[in-house]
Amino acid sequence: MHELSIAMQIVEIVEEEAKKHDSALVSAVHLEIGTLSGVEPDALEFAMEEAVRHSIVAKAELFYHYIEAVAVCEECCHEFKMDDYFKVCPYCNSINTSMLKGKELKIRSIDIQTK
Amino acid sequence: MCGTCGCGEDDHITYRKPGEYNLFHSHQHTHDGTTHSHAHDHSHEDHGHQHGHEHSHDSEHGHTHSISLERNILSKNDLIAERNRGFFEGMKIVALNLVSSPGSGKTSILERSITELGEKLNCAVIEGDQQTLNDAERIQKAGAPVIQINTGNGCHLDALMVNKAMKSLDVKQNSILFIENVGNLVCPSLFDLGETKRVVIISVTEGDDKPAKYPTMFETSHLCLINKTDLLPYVDFDMEKVKETALKVNPRLEFIALSAKTGEGMNEWYGWMQALKG
């Protein structure tokens, strides 16, 4: 259920930013979610529907940009896509690898209406 | 709506020491009409207030602006976590975030650790559970100062809860602060508490596929304690398989196999903590 706390954080941050810019209406929110961020897309999208209610984000179009996870092997320096957390290098079988992207949990940008 | 679990009520997190009522409620700020500030650090809904602005505009035409934020969604939690971390560093406190599924023996490991070297290591404990003071009472009996956070329906501790709890716990310099997270191998992995190290605990009765089933927790932890080794003769648990799987997720993970019941392996665990204290 941590997706709901994440959804509510999104709404809170977006509301604050919109307010800073004297806007009372947010028309779009672009989110970046890594495929290995620990957030379940379906659960987040469902939670967002609830979290935006009664907020200035309620009418915003929500864009979910899912970022595919990539790791680099520290032995052979090859980069490879990660389908799951088991980041064994497919080139040299080393487990000495590091994730480069795929853990994103970010608000990329918002579109706001001002008078 | 509760920011932690999404139930219909307001946040209902309680902070208690054994024998005390709720020390404070998490909704301690006040709202004074529409002029309240947004300095509070957790989310609200259903307060009915508007975020209207008061100044007038020359133009009545609407404009759309795109604002680039590039902001981490958990940035508020992470900011408080960094404050906690700074406090721990300044006070030379080693803070250990203990995560596991329910029943792996977190509290038993703490009880034994506190009994055997509580004074030497200057231990204090923050207990996280959905309900009850049971664990806090066990820890107090073992002889360490303790505060219990009850998260209500919440599935994890966050940095703000730890921040509030440690203020009323009055953690001493050069101590070890155990933060026993809510028993859950999923949600706590996302929430940095400002801990020095994260310790994931599994027990041999849980099966050796835990790292395969719940990789995020193993990916974000520094040490894996494998508890209940006294039961190894009675269960099908492949120690090497567990380590091999977990290392594929996190090649830097360390392991200590121990039994909080018999004491086997506990010295290695104490040594690991003492090395952190320096």
Side-chain angles (χ1 to χ4, degrees):
Chain A
M1 274 310 285
H2 57 282
E3 280 82 0
L4 189 60
S5 18
I6 286 167
M8 293 177 74
Q9 280 292 304
I10 294 170
V11 172
E12 194 177 327
I13 292 171
V14 171
E15 280 194 324
E16 281 176 10
E17 290 294 331
K19 207 177 166 215
K20 262 190 222 165
H21 293 84
D22 283 336
S23 168
L25 186 68
V26 178
S27 52
V29 177
H30 289 265
L31 301 170
E32 268 181 31
I33 312 292
T35 52
L36 295 185
S37 62
V39 166
E40 197 50 44
D42 286 350
L44 179 65
E45 291 176 24
F46 174 73
M48 280 300 287
E49 283 177 32
E50 294 301 318
V52 299
R53 250 179 229 182
H54 311 300
S55 78
I56 59 173
V57 195
K59 290 180 180 158
E61 202 172 345
L62 304 173
F63 295 92
Y64 299 89
H65 304 274
Y66 290 103
I67 313 284
E68 207 166 354
V70 173
V72 63
C73 176
E74 289 171 17
E75 304 291 340
C76 72
C77 297
H78 274 99
E79 286 185 17
F80 57 94
K81 280 183 191 168
M82 296 170 64
D83 295 327
D84 52 35
Y85 284 91
F86 300 96
K87 42 181 188 272
V88 179
C89 175
Y91 298 95
C92 72
N93 279 324
S94 168
I95 57 167
N96 193 9
T97 59
S98 298
M99 204 189 291
L100 293 178
K101 54 181 186 172
K103 298 215 89 175
E104 293 79 0
L105 262 186
K106 254 170 43 179
I107 305 172
R108 183 189 284 176
S109 65
I110 57 174
D111 293 347
I112 55 166
Q113 302 281 331
T114 54
K115 280 186 180 172
Chain B
M1 188 197 292
C2 172
T4 310
C5 58
C7 66
E9 297 168 34
D10 266 353
D11 279 357
H12 35 218
I13 302 156
T14 60
Y15 303 77
R16 287 180 295 172
K17 292 177 180 171
E20 283 181 4
Y21 287 111
N22 190 8
L23 290 176
F24 46 83
H25 193 261
S26 57
H27 275 251
Q28 54 192 331
H29 54 268
T30 55
H31 291 272
D32 48 355
T34 55
T35 57
H36 69 272
S37 78
H38 266 246
H40 56 257
D41 33 24
H42 49 271
S43 46
H44 297 276
E45 273 201 11
D46 298 339
H47 279 292
H49 58 253
Q50 295 294 315
H51 294 269
H53 43 263
E54 291 155 15
H55 59 273
S56 61
H57 297 278
D58 294 326
S59 165
E60 286 303 311
H61 299 291
H63 301 285
T64 303
H65 300 282
S66 187
I67 303 169
S68 174
L69 289 185
E70 296 292 339
R71 187 157 159 198
N72 189 344
I73 293 165
L74 293 174
S75 54
K76 290 190 176 189
N77 181 75
D78 295 346
L79 204 63
I80 300 167
E82 285 306 329
R83 284 180 51 197
N84 293 352
R85 188 167 282 119
F87 174 79
F88 295 144
E89 279 179 18
M91 295 281 283
K92 296 199 169 86
I93 294 168
V94 173
L96 300 176
N97 180 5
L98 307 178
V99 291
S100 84
S101 41
S104 65
K106 287 191 295 296
T107 314
S108 302
I109 291 173
L110 287 188
E111 277 177 313
R112 189 161 188 132
S113 306
I114 291 162
T115 311
E116 293 189 341
L117 39 80
E119 281 183 24
K120 199 167 149 201
L121 283 187
N122 221 350
C123 302
V125 182
I126 295 175
E127 277 287 342
D129 277 304
Q130 288 197 327
Q131 305 286 343
T132 81
L133 270 166
N134 295 357
D135 282 1
E137 284 164 0
R138 285 172 62 185
I139 295 298
Q140 195 181 44
K141 244 182 228 166
V146 59
I147 184 164
Q148 175 85 49
I149 305 175
N150 283 135
T151 58
N153 292 319
C155 50
H156 57 266
L157 295 182
D158 64 30
L160 182 66
M161 295 179 202
V162 170
N163 187 282
K164 288 183 176 180
M166 73 190 187
K167 279 175 187 159
S168 54
L169 187 59
D170 194 20
V171 191
K172 300 278 184 296
Q173 270 196 340
N174 292 308
S175 59
I176 291 201
L177 175 64
F178 295 108
I179 306 166
E180 187 179 327
N181 218 311
V182 179
N184 177 345
L185 269 181
V186 186
C187 311
S189 69
L190 279 182
F191 294 84
D192 184 7
L193 305 180
E195 69 263 26
T196 316
K197 298 280 180 189
R198 188 172 291 183
V199 181
V200 60
I201 299 166
I202 56 171
S203 57
V204 301
T205 51
E206 291 172 54
D208 48 26
D209 55 355
K210 271 280 150 75
K213 285 177 170 170
Y214 302 98
T216 31
M217 200 57 101
F218 290 85
E219 205 245 333
T220 57
S221 294
H222 301 93
L223 172 69
C224 175
L225 294 181
I226 304 172
N227 190 23
K228 306 188 190 176
T229 50
D230 53 298
L231 296 177
L232 270 175
Y234 312 105
V235 290
D236 292 324
F237 184 87
D238 186 337
M239 192 70 80
E240 289 315 307
K241 185 180 155 198
V242 169
K243 292 182 182 175
E244 194 186 315
T245 315
L247 284 172
K248 282 180 186 167
V249 178
N250 178 359
R252 291 160 200 86
L253 191 64
E254 297 174 69
F255 299 89
I256 297 173
L258 51 75
S259 164
K261 193 174 174 70
T262 65
E264 181 191 1
M266 291 298 283
N267 280 334
E268 201 182 338
W269 158 237
Y270 301 152
W272 185 86
M273 286 191 284
Q274 247 150 356
L276 283 179
K277 280 192 85 175

